[in-house]
Amino acid sequence: MSSSEKSHLDDCSSTNYGAMNNDDDINHENIEKIPSEPTFTKNENIGETSFTENQNPMMSTIECPSDSNEEVQSLLHYLLSIVYMPYSLRIVCLTNLFCWMSHVCYSLYFTDFVGEAVFNGDPRAIEGTIPQRKYEEGVRFGCWGMAMYSLSCACYSMVIDKLIQRFRAKSVYIGGLLFYCLGMTLMALTRTKLSVILFSWTAGVMYSTLFTMPYLLVAHYHSLKTFELDESGCAKMGSEVRGLGTDVAIISSMVFLAQFLLSICMGTIVKLAGTTTAVITTASFLSFCAALTASKIIYLDL
């Protein structure tokens, strides 16, 4: 190979190697300029998670605050709010308990009352005998009274809101309970087919009141954020924090307590009275007790 050709090959080699070196430099520069992936880190200054850059993405972590203490406090507060209720809420619960006990007397034992006290039947008589057939006839007829009760409940539920706006909640609440009390008293005294149909309409008023007034009062308390009055009779802003769902659940649980109490004592009451008329009489008495406690409820201008 001649000296000129060797010189030419050296120039080409140096040129190629130079180009490769330049490419490597460019690639290194591009790699260095690629920003690191953004990660979530905790900003200690503001106490919450913020969006920042971390130069080492492999070492970045997401830190979550521990809420075990908050859960314990929430559970404890929930239990205490059930045990220690405001006076106003306790009166609403007591009124609702009396209402449910009164209504359960009617709804569970009404047909038995009609079969025995109105039709003079006997459920313990031999099948096929006249007393046994009269009892069954009375039970069937009592179902018509239950139908009237359901119809009156539907009708009263459509107008109770307008009645509250016109006559205020206290008058509607107490008036509805006394209306049912009067109807049950007259039914127990007369014990006729006509009274069964006629006075069963008062039971619908009670049932509609059960599912309207207590929840309306609880919602009103929470909307005003108060459960009591000051010395001048105005709404007093309380510092106690209560959950609406908890209070609604407490009010609703009165139906189970009412069923439990009646299942214990109703058999004894009927046995002592010697007639199922005691069922309707007990319903009337419990409704009157509910009216008395309803007069002690704090309505807060509702």
Side-chain angles (χ1 to χ4, degrees):
M1 181 181 292
S2 63
S3 59
S4 61
E5 290 177 350
K6 184 177 180 180
S7 176
H8 178 70
L9 289 175
D10 292 335
D11 293 337
C12 291
S13 297
S14 62
T15 302
N16 290 336
Y17 287 127
M20 292 178 63
N21 291 335
N22 291 336
D23 291 338
D24 290 337
D25 294 337
I26 294 174
N27 290 335
H28 284 299
E29 291 177 2
N30 291 336
I31 292 174
E32 292 177 357
K33 291 180 180 180
I34 295 177
S36 61
E37 294 181 3
T39 59
F40 291 98
T41 59
K42 187 174 181 181
N43 191 329
E44 299 294 341
N45 294 329
I46 60 176
E48 62 182 285
T49 304
S50 61
F51 186 82
T52 59
E53 281 192 20
N54 193 324
Q55 297 299 327
N56 192 352
M58 300 298 295
M59 298 298 294
S60 62
T61 58
I62 299 177
E63 299 181 7
C64 298
S66 176
D67 55 353
S68 59
N69 293 332
E70 294 180 359
E71 291 180 357
V72 173
Q73 293 177 359
S74 300
L75 178 60
L76 179 61
H77 179 269
Y78 173 76
L79 296 176
L80 291 177
S81 66
I82 296 176
V83 178
Y84 301 101
M85 292 186 293
Y87 171 79
S88 58
L89 193 59
R90 291 189 181 189
I91 295 298
V92 174
C93 288
L94 182 60
T95 302
N96 202 41
L97 176 62
F98 281 135
C99 289
W100 270 116
M101 292 180 67
S102 178
H103 181 71
V104 168
C105 283
Y106 170 86
S107 60
L108 293 185
Y109 306 103
F110 176 68
T111 54
D112 190 52
F113 156 76
V114 177
E116 291 191 50
V118 178
F119 281 73
N120 298 317
D122 186 2
R124 293 172 296 274
I126 300 175
E127 187 173 356
T129 60
I130 294 178
Q132 192 270 338
R133 289 201 301 266
K134 284 186 176 181
Y135 177 79
E136 289 187 353
E137 183 183 357
V139 171
R140 288 192 294 268
F141 188 85
C143 294
W144 286 105
M146 299 290 287
M148 296 301 102
Y149 133 74
S150 300
L151 181 60
S152 66
C153 177
C155 295
Y156 188 72
S157 297
M158 292 188 295
V159 300
I160 189 172
D161 186 54
K162 295 181 180 179
L163 292 176
I164 293 173
Q165 295 177 3
R166 182 177 179 86
F167 300 105
R168 314 300 293 177
K170 184 176 182 179
S171 300
V172 175
Y173 204 173
I174 299 175
L177 298 178
L178 292 177
F179 183 64
Y180 173 76
C181 176
L182 178 62
M184 294 297 102
T185 301
L186 294 176
M187 185 185 296
L189 293 175
T190 56
R191 286 175 290 183
T192 62
K193 294 181 181 181
L194 179 61
S195 64
V196 168
I197 298 297
L198 183 62
F199 298 126
S200 289
W201 284 75
T202 63
V205 174
M206 164 64 85
Y207 196 62
S208 179
T209 301
L210 272 173
F211 284 97
T212 305
M213 299 307 303
Y215 304 102
L216 181 64
L217 287 167
V218 171
H220 188 60
Y221 291 156
H222 280 269
S223 65
L224 297 179
K225 297 181 180 180
T226 181
F227 294 86
E228 55 186 344
L229 300 174
D230 57 17
E231 296 178 355
S232 61
C234 299
K236 180 180 179 180
M237 301 301 294
S239 58
E240 182 180 5
V241 178
R242 299 189 60 86
L244 177 60
T246 301
D247 291 340
V248 169
I250 294 173
I251 295 296
S252 301
S253 65
M254 293 299 105
V255 60
F256 305 108
L257 182 58
Q259 291 174 351
F260 176 74
L261 294 176
L262 282 178
S263 65
I264 294 176
C265 62
M266 185 51 65
T268 303
I269 294 174
V270 174
K271 184 177 181 179
L272 293 175
T275 175
T276 53
T277 306
V279 171
I280 304 301
T281 305
T282 303
S284 176
F285 172 75
L286 291 172
S287 179
F288 181 74
C289 293
L292 290 179
T293 55
S295 64
K296 305 297 182 180
I297 292 177
I298 300 175
Y299 291 89
L300 298 177
D301 296 329
L302 182 62

